Amino acid sequence: MNGAQVVVEALKREGVKYIFGYPGGACMPIFDALLDAPELELVLVRHEQGGTHMADGYARATGKPGVVLVTSGPGATNTVTGLLTAQMDSIPLIVLTGQTITPNLGKDAFQEADIFGVTIPVVKHSYLVKDVNELPKIVQEAFHLATTGRPGPVLIDLPKDVVSAECVSSFPENIDLPGYEVSMKGNADDIVRAAHIIMESRCPLLYVGAGAVGAGAAKEVLELAEKLQAPVTTTLLGKGAFPETHDLSVGMLGMHGTAYANKAVVGCDMIMAIGARWDDRITGKVSEFCPTASKIHIDIDPAEFGKIIQPDVSINGDARLVLQELIKHVRKLDSDSWLKSVASWKKKYPLKYPKRGGLRAQYVLDELDRLSESRGIISTDVGQHQMWAAQFCKSSRERQWLSSGGAGTMGYGFPAAIGAQLGCPNDLVVAVVGDGGFQMTLAELSTAALQRVPIKILIIDNRHLGMIRQWQELFFDQRLSGCELDGNPDFVKLGESYGVKGFRIRRAGDVTKVLKKALAYNDGPCIIHAEVVKEDNVFPMIPAGAAVKDMLIEKPKDRKLEKPVGST
Amino acid sequence: MEEFTISIYVNNKPGVLMRLSQTFARRGYNIDSLVVSPAVDHQFSRITVVVQGDPETLDQILRQLNKLVDVVHASHHDPKQSVERELAIFKLLVGPEKRSEVLQIVDVFRAKIVDITDQSLIVESTGSSSKIDAMEKLFNTMGLKEMVRSGKLVMARGTNQT
């Protein structure tokens, strides 16, 4: 077998079904080898960034690693945004990049990029393969690294002469990585110490993140919450790790979280992070974040302990296994009056939006959630529509919510939805995108049409970069700079030119009728173009760098807001 | 800012140093010295790094280093619990008339002369970094032209693992 055939063989051994790829000179031997492997389906994308996001969406929706195959140079550098997106959100990806032949490395050969060097900060690990006989071991290790511990993207750079050479080594029996150890079960003493702290709490809050989704811990989170009678808040990426339809759910917390989740953060006497990393979008001003509450932190990655928040107890392990053990050491808490307070906040500060004054994005999303009975896989872009979708589209199970959280990658939502639909052909998949982000990766309309994936592309079009406009309105004296998207295409006609069905929503009165029609359309992808009001704001809001207690429920009428001091 | 000596046991592979230096740089740590050499088992290398940084993030940096797949372990060394050495060579432009003065200093510091011409001397010295610093200071007043320091080497005392 030559190196390319080894790569293909390795992918088959790992049970890979789809390869999101784009060819080029340096990776032609691998594309050639793919022809002899009918069990691997090549999804020919239109841009490598789109391909990487598709693989990411596939991974988030299925829990299996997504695989990308691109060429050297620009092909490889086009995956960098996708790698960052996956690295920030701990998504397992394998990115195979072609490379110039080894004698040319470092000589500015045609389409040469030092992609190993370029991507070091945005991968979990990476390889530049110099010897074909190392390939079986490397590909095997790459899958192991991408999918175990804290998952992440792994890049393998494959020089053309290496994949063309004959390989005489075979796949090793064991994986030997002396520098890679994953603590799964958590230290028993730490778990007992955590249980003691929990049992002293009267106002507990479980704060559940992507780590719980990655570990498949939804059942355990539910069991723990019900046993303790503790409210649960999920992060943007933790959506679905606890059903948002459950009485104990307070929805998402943080910058645009629900008012009642943030009030619970301020009021709790114990907060337990389960696979969540105290992101700045959640803590706001760190020095004022839950100053008196006890803090417990469960994480598979020990480097997260004490990075932002110093916990009273940290448990290094897999969320599912740790919770299984922890559940044995706790009982129902005396939390009745706390639950009453939380319930009263829910009643007093519900998520809401104006019913009048034109078509509202929130209403479209609220209706989408109602009509789909919170069952669809929602893949979003980044911005206002993302936050509204997070607020109004409830997740009832894990892997139903795909969104670029850490990186905040515009252009993610639509290609990710294609990957998700390929991985979950029987699920309803909706890409909720803005007019800005959609235009960053809309070339994949060809891919979606060719694959005939019945995704619904819901474009929330306000002819603006809405979140930028919101900040400029609130914090920059309404001085709008670079946020108006003049020159948007007619998205329905655009879709037509790709053979993609289109629907328009212009008035609130059309929403239910059109959404129903679009949701029932399954003959390939469709675009739902919702022309929403230009000026609307996402609330509640904790301005960047402000304390959680300083959350704004709505735009203050009587005062000007200071420019935020927090990062972005 | 404080100075820390960190010892790192890594896979002996290309690219490892890039990952390490990137981890330090991202957290605002400046590398003062760095020594890489093969370990007893040649599949691994030992790296000793002296860095300047914020003591509050030291634990974090160690965790982030340990997280790297190619890092087997990384730890901070307390000078009291470890042997620390550094090698330096100094080139001084001195003629025969000032040689005896230099030789006196060399003697006091138990250093060695390893090269001599009628215009110059090369002095070799091994010891703690502070000893090397002290020699540098003295030689500065007597024609120090070049100095090359190995960077600090560290080994844990007794049976403790470095």
Side-chain angles (χ1 to χ4, degrees):
Chain A
M1 269 202 272
N2 69 17
Q5 289 164 323
V6 171
V7 171
V8 168
E9 186 57 30
L11 299 180
K12 287 192 327 207
R13 284 168 60 105
E14 298 292 340
V16 172
K17 199 165 167 212
Y18 293 104
I19 296 170
F20 300 93
Y22 203 95
C27 64
M28 283 172 71
I30 308 176
F31 271 78
D32 185 62
L34 278 179
L35 288 176
D36 301 321
E39 52 276 72
L40 296 177
E41 194 173 324
L42 172 69
V43 178
L44 178 63
V45 302
R46 288 300 179 268
H47 187 285
E48 293 86 349
Q49 182 186 349
T52 320
H53 294 328
M54 279 178 219
D56 178 309
Y58 175 86
R60 288 189 209 228
T62 62
K64 295 180 214 158
V67 179
V68 180
L69 171 61
V70 298
T71 194
S72 62
T77 55
N78 279 344
T79 67
V80 171
T81 304
L83 286 167
L84 174 75
T85 307
Q87 170 77 350
M88 288 286 251
D89 293 350
S90 312
I91 305 303
L93 288 190
I94 302 289
V95 175
L96 306 165
T97 54
Q99 180 57 281
T100 186
I101 54 173
T102 45
N104 276 355
L105 284 173
K107 296 180 186 169
D108 298 334
F110 176 64
Q111 288 194 331
E112 183 195 359
D114 173 13
I115 200 66
F116 180 87
V118 167
T119 57
I120 277 186
V122 293
V123 294
K124 179 171 176 182
H125 197 58
S126 47
Y127 298 88
L128 166 58
V129 188
K130 295 260 184 74
D131 176 355
V132 69
N133 290 314
E134 293 206 331
L135 250 181
K137 173 175 168 286
I138 285 175
V139 184
Q140 201 166 317
E141 274 180 19
F143 273 89
H144 178 71
L145 288 169
T147 53
T148 58
R150 180 175 183 170
V154 178
L155 179 135
I156 310 177
D157 200 17
L158 299 161
K160 192 176 173 185
D161 55 336
V162 171
V163 292
S164 307
E166 243 352 77
C167 173
V168 294
S169 66
S170 48
F171 289 94
E173 303 252 317
N174 300 310
I175 284 168
D176 178 29
L177 289 165
Y180 184 69
E181 250 178 84
V182 180
S183 158
M184 291 295 282
K185 287 177 70 179
N187 178 294
D189 293 342
D190 292 341
I191 294 177
V192 170
R193 279 167 60 218
H196 282 302
I197 292 179
I198 294 169
M199 291 315 298
E200 279 168 20
S201 170
R202 296 292 168 268
C203 308
L205 181 64
L206 306 184
Y207 146 53
V208 184
V213 175
K219 187 173 142 265
E220 287 74 13
V221 173
L222 180 68
E223 192 181 338
L224 179 69
E226 289 185 339
K227 189 169 187 188
L228 294 174
Q229 284 299 301
V232 181
T233 180
T234 42
T235 66
L236 178 71
L237 298 182
K239 267 172 77 77
F242 185 77
E244 289 179 286
T245 42
H246 194 286
D247 273 351
L248 287 169
S249 170
V250 289
M252 182 173 78
L253 77 169
M255 182 177 274
H256 291 296
T258 65
Y260 35 96
N262 288 329
K263 291 201 174 280
V265 168
V266 174
C268 70
D269 66 2
M270 188 281 298
I271 180 164
M272 176 157 81
I274 303 171
R277 59 180 176 87
W278 319 94
D279 178 82
D280 55 81
R281 283 293 190 265
I282 278 156
T283 59
K285 193 173 182 180
V286 174
S287 59
E288 291 183 35
F289 181 78
C290 296
T292 57
S294 320
K295 296 173 192 85
I296 299 170
H297 189 173
I298 302 173
D299 208 305
I300 192 104
D301 178 4
E304 291 299 341
F305 299 139
K307 188 180 84 177
I308 308 292
I309 291 282
Q310 198 59 52
D312 297 284
V313 179
S314 54
I315 307 172
N316 181 207
D318 172 83
R320 188 169 64 87
L321 298 181
V322 170
L323 290 186
Q324 279 174 0
E325 188 58 28
L326 181 66
I327 287 165
K328 297 180 196 159
H329 297 272
V330 296
R331 296 180 308 279
K332 183 186 176 306
L333 298 176
D334 181 9
S335 59
D336 293 0
S337 77
W338 167 242
L339 290 178
K340 267 186 206 142
S341 310
V342 173
S344 74
W345 292 325
K346 270 192 183 182
K347 213 165 169 185
K348 194 169 170 197
Y349 306 104
L351 286 168
K352 60 176 184 197
Y353 53 87
K355 303 281 186 213
R356 291 180 193 193
L359 178 63
R360 301 275 173 178
Q362 300 94 311
Y363 174 60
V364 180
L365 295 164
D366 209 5
E367 273 299 277
L368 170 68
D369 185 58
R370 188 179 69 83
L371 295 171
S372 62
E373 296 167 336
S374 309
R375 288 214 192 112
I377 294 175
I378 307 286
S379 173
T380 81
D381 237 82
V382 170
Q384 284 187 318
H385 71 276
Q386 176 192 33
M387 293 297 113
W388 283 320
Q391 291 176 342
F392 293 97
C393 297
K394 307 270 178 275
S395 292
S396 51
R397 62 166 177 89
E398 289 165 305
R399 306 201 171 280
Q400 207 190 336
W401 174 259
L402 325 175
S403 194
S404 166
T409 303
M410 285 175 70
Y412 170 82
F414 164 50
I418 300 173
Q421 185 78 81
L422 289 169
C424 305
N426 300 318
D427 282 285
L428 164 68
V429 177
V430 184
V432 178
V433 298
D435 47 320
F438 180 60
Q439 290 186 76
M440 289 192 174
T441 47
L442 61 72
E444 304 307 336
L445 278 169
S446 296
T447 317
L450 277 173
Q451 296 291 328
R452 290 180 63 85
V453 279
I455 58 169
K456 324 296 178 235
I457 309 158
L458 172 57
I459 305 172
I460 303 292
D461 180 5
N462 58 2
R463 280 84 74 209
H464 277 85
L465 298 172
M467 195 58 95
I468 304 295
R469 197 209 53 75
Q470 172 169 345
W471 278 52
Q472 289 173 346
E473 175 192 328
L474 295 177
F475 307 117
F476 291 84
D477 299 327
Q478 185 76 357
R479 285 156 54 90
L480 302 188
S481 179
C483 72
E484 286 145 306
L485 292 185
D486 298 327
N488 274 351
D490 178 327
F491 290 106
V492 169
K493 282 192 186 155
L494 177 79
E496 266 169 27
S497 67
Y498 286 93
V500 169
K501 173 87 177 157
F503 299 91
R504 286 185 205 276
I505 304 178
R506 287 204 166 112
R507 298 176 305 115
D510 300 338
V511 172
T512 310
K513 191 177 62 194
V514 177
L515 278 181
K516 268 187 186 165
K517 260 200 255 171
L519 291 178
Y521 179 83
N522 280 315
D523 195 20
C526 69
I527 283 176
I528 311 163
H529 182 209
E531 295 176 44
V532 301
V533 294
K534 282 187 179 176
E535 296 185 358
D536 203 346
N537 294 324
V538 184
F539 281 104
M541 179 177 196
I542 304 167
V548 177
K549 66 176 169 47
D550 298 327
M551 168 181 60
L552 306 166
I553 305 275
E554 56 190 10
K555 184 180 170 182
K557 295 189 177 72
D558 49 348
R559 66 186 169 100
K560 239 179 78 177
L561 294 166
E562 296 289 319
K563 284 196 178 67
V565 289
S567 59
T568 43
Chain B
M1 292 287 221
E2 276 178 40
E3 189 185 286
F4 303 104
T5 306
I6 295 171
S7 148
I8 314 171
Y9 192 62
V10 300
N11 287 329
N12 183 2
K13 286 205 305 200
V16 176
L17 200 53
M18 277 168 88
R19 293 186 210 273
L20 292 176
S21 51
Q22 194 252 345
T23 305
F24 285 112
R26 262 189 95 182
R27 296 307 295 261
Y29 271 54
N30 193 32
I31 295 178
D32 283 348
S33 82
L34 177 127
V35 185
V36 187
S37 59
V40 176
D41 179 346
H42 281 223
Q43 282 184 46
F44 300 98
S45 299
R46 287 218 181 259
I47 296 180
T48 309
V49 198
V50 178
V51 289
Q52 298 270 350
D54 170 7
E56 275 147 35
T57 50
L58 177 67
D59 259 5
Q60 261 295 305
I61 295 255
L62 290 174
R63 288 206 186 107
Q64 287 179 330
L65 290 171
N66 273 308
K67 187 170 155 177
L68 297 172
V69 174
D70 284 327
V71 171
V72 182
H73 57 79
S75 47
H76 169 235
H77 284 278
D78 178 348
K80 290 186 196 113
Q81 307 294 325
S82 49
V83 178
E84 297 186 347
R85 286 291 179 277
E86 194 174 349
L87 171 75
I89 42 182
F90 302 94
K91 182 180 285 178
L92 293 97
L93 297 188
V94 284
E97 68 289 353
K98 290 191 86 178
R99 244 181 229 157
S100 61
E101 208 181 321
V102 175
L103 285 168
Q104 260 183 352
I105 292 169
V106 167
D107 199 36
V108 169
F109 282 100
R110 289 180 203 154
K112 279 195 286 193
I113 305 286
V114 291
D115 182 61
I116 191 161
T117 68
D118 59 347
Q119 306 280 317
S120 70
L121 283 170
I122 296 183
V123 178
E124 173 198 311
S125 177
T126 313
S128 66
S129 299
S130 56
K131 171 178 149 181
I132 310 281
D133 291 344
M135 290 181 76
E136 181 195 354
K137 209 171 161 191
L138 278 172
F139 286 155
N140 253 329
T141 62
M142 39 209 320
L144 178 63
K145 182 70 180 166
E146 289 175 5
M147 175 177 70
V148 179
R149 297 172 69 151
S150 66
K152 199 192 274 184
L153 306 175
V154 69
M155 187 173 274
R157 286 192 183 273
T159 53
N160 291 335
Q161 189 189 46
T162 304

